[in-house]
Amino acid sequence: MKNHLTCHFLSVSENEALARMIAASFVAPYDPTLGELSDIKTVVSEAVTNAIIHGYNEEGFHEVTMRLSMDNRMLTIEIEDHGRGISEVNQAMQPLYTSRPDMERSGMGFTIMEHFMDQVEVNSTQNQGTIVKMVKQLSAVKANCM
């Protein structure tokens, strides 16, 4: 079964929880494991938080776009902002790297995304924005035993 959803929301921290709930609701009909559901909510949280904090410098009048698609239990998540962009993507993806040390950020967002997803791709252009694309193959549906 193929399905997709696109939503836009303001770049305010309150909408990070909204994005997590939307993603969880989107995948629920595909009967993910609790671990898969937790992983998905975590990576959406990390990517949306990055867009808000790093992409838009916490200026809440910008827009974040989240695209979700499912094709044969293959979930694709894209989080897009039109903010500052990332000058050195490879550096930004290194564990413990943060562009906001003033906020005591851990610098583990991309590392977490890479750990929980099968594939993570970051496309970014300075002063034009960033798209984080994450892919996860959901486990096979198990038949109910009665």
Side-chain angles (χ1 to χ4, degrees), residues 44-109:
V44 166
S45 178
E46 292 291 338
V48 169
T49 298
N50 279 354
I52 293 168
I53 291 174
H54 301 290
Y56 291 130
N57 205 26
E58 296 186 282
E59 297 169 346
F61 51 86
H62 298 284
E63 191 171 86
V64 175
T65 300
M66 179 170 67
R67 287 182 286 278
L68 304 165
S69 65
M70 184 71 76
D71 187 4
N72 293 322
R73 301 189 62 74
M74 180 73 71
L75 173 67
T76 301
I77 303 167
E78 291 184 0
I79 306 296
E80 180 176 7
D81 69 68
H82 295 281
R84 299 182 330 182
I86 303 169
S87 60
E88 294 290 332
V89 171
N90 289 334
Q91 180 183 24
M93 293 184 76
Q94 294 301 309
L96 304 177
Y97 174 82
T98 180
S99 64
R100 297 292 307 268
D102 57 306
M103 296 183 69
E104 299 182 19
R105 306 299 302 175
S106 71
M108 295 299 289

Side-chain angles (χ1 to χ4, degrees), residues 78-146:
E78 291 184 0
I79 306 296
E80 180 176 7
D81 69 68
H82 295 281
R84 299 182 330 182
I86 303 169
S87 60
E88 294 290 332
V89 171
N90 289 334
Q91 180 183 24
M93 293 184 76
Q94 294 301 309
L96 304 177
Y97 174 82
T98 180
S99 64
R100 297 292 307 268
D102 57 306
M103 296 183 69
E104 299 182 19
R105 306 299 302 175
S106 71
M108 295 299 289
F110 284 127
T111 302
I112 291 168
M113 290 179 227
E114 289 179 319
H115 180 74
F116 289 154
M117 301 300 282
D118 298 324
Q119 178 185 343
V120 176
E121 183 179 309
V122 180
N123 294 304
S124 189
T125 304
Q126 274 199 288
N127 301 316
Q128 293 184 19
T130 301
I131 299 174
V132 176
K133 179 180 177 181
M134 302 172 283
V135 178
K136 185 173 192 71
Q137 178 69 51
L138 298 183
S139 58
V141 177
K142 295 179 182 174
N144 289 335
C145 298
M146 292 194 184

Side-chain angles (χ1 to χ4, degrees), residues 4-62:
H4 66 89
L5 173 123
T6 300
C7 61
H8 310 276
F9 46 88
L10 286 179
S11 58
V12 294
S13 61
E14 295 86 359
N15 285 337
E16 173 268 327
L18 173 66
R20 287 176 358 129
M21 294 304 294
I22 291 169
S25 297
F26 180 81
V27 301
Y30 302 97
D31 198 25
T33 66
L34 290 177
E36 289 169 336
L37 188 58
S38 177
D39 292 352
I40 291 162
K41 289 167 58 176
T42 298
V43 299
V44 166
S45 178
E46 292 291 338
V48 169
T49 298
N50 279 354
I52 293 168
I53 291 174
H54 301 290
Y56 291 130
N57 205 26
E58 296 186 282
E59 297 169 346
F61 51 86
H62 298 284

